[in-house]
Amino acid sequence: MRIGIIVHSKTGRTLALAQLIEKRLKKLNHGVSLHHLTIDPDIEAPNKPFRIVNRPDIAPYDLLLVGGPVWAFSASPVILSYLKSLGDLKGKKVIPFATMGFPCACLGGTRALGQMGKAAAANGATTLPGAVVPTMLRDHERLKQEAADKIAEVVG
Ligand SMILES: Cc1cc2nc3c(=O)[nH]c(=O)nc-3n(C[C@H](O)[C@H](O)[C@H](O)COP(=O)(O)O)c2cc1C
């Protein structure tokens, strides 16, 4: 399967998760390309204007993995805006993923995955279950490995 991983990451944590997922999927012999979205200006909070500088062409991919940090109990505005801008996603599968500061997915992570999944589905994609990795008070490294395992299993 041809897989595109598209990630917004301000401080590198979600990018590290994306790189781990990339490695895992390559081991399963999938063709995988990772795209790190660049924005201008590099905003530090939601509700600020930004422009996505690099817009990866998703045409070659059967499956998109889209991820970003949880911001203000919601999905990254960057990845959400990117997803909404993609237009017709009929025939494509989308798996959302996120990292977050708080220890419980209930504090924005689950909502963020839902928002990304909904945005993809609104453009005609089939949304598959994703993964969220919390940080504070948790073994982030272990949870990151588990999330990559879970996503590899969903991809098959
Ligand atoms: C503006 C802003 C808002 C945030 N809001 C939340 C939040 O609501 N819940 C949460 O768990 N973490 C929140 N965080 C923390 C990030 O989700 C967390 O540090 C994430 O792992 C960073 O990912 P990155 O390194 O890929 O940017 C917020 C961070 C920023 C900068």
Side-chain angles (χ1 to χ4, degrees):
M1 201 177 324
R2 294 161 305 170
I3 302 172
I5 304 179
I6 297 152
V7 63
H8 167 231
S9 182
K10 168 90 183 153
T11 59
R13 206 178 268 153
T14 322
L15 179 61
L17 173 59
Q19 287 165 336
L20 185 66
I21 295 168
E22 178 192 25
K23 218 164 124 186
R24 211 48 73 82
L25 294 178
K26 278 185 171 164
K27 257 194 186 162
L28 295 172
N29 289 324
H30 293 293
V32 189
S33 301
L34 173 61
H35 306 273
H36 183 196
L37 295 180
T38 309
I39 54 168
D40 179 39
D42 191 14
I43 55 166
E44 294 179 352
N47 302 320
K48 304 261 189 220
F50 63 86
R51 179 179 71 89
I52 299 172
V53 177
N54 58 335
R55 290 190 162 272
D57 175 19
I58 56 149
Y61 306 126
D62 311 300
L63 168 68
L64 298 175
L65 280 138
V66 290
V70 173
W71 276 12
F73 303 99
S74 299
S76 144
V78 177
I79 203 70
L80 263 189
S81 131
Y82 173 76
L83 262 173
K84 287 177 184 170
S85 76
L86 284 178
D88 191 7
L89 292 175
K90 235 171 262 152
K92 295 197 191 287
K93 292 174 182 165
V94 170
I95 298 178
F97 64 96
T99 69
M100 58 187 290
F102 292 142
C104 174
C106 59
L107 293 168
T110 304
R111 181 160 185 249
L113 291 194
Q115 290 171 314
M116 288 186 268
K118 213 169 144 188
N123 281 343
T126 302
T127 301
L128 300 176
V132 56
V133 181
T135 305
M136 290 174 202
L137 311 172
R138 306 293 300 273
D139 184 344
H140 181 80
E141 285 309 309
R142 184 176 59 78
L143 295 178
K144 206 165 76 176
Q145 300 285 340
E146 286 177 7
D149 287 346
K150 182 183 167 189
I151 285 175
E153 203 179 305
V154 172
V155 173

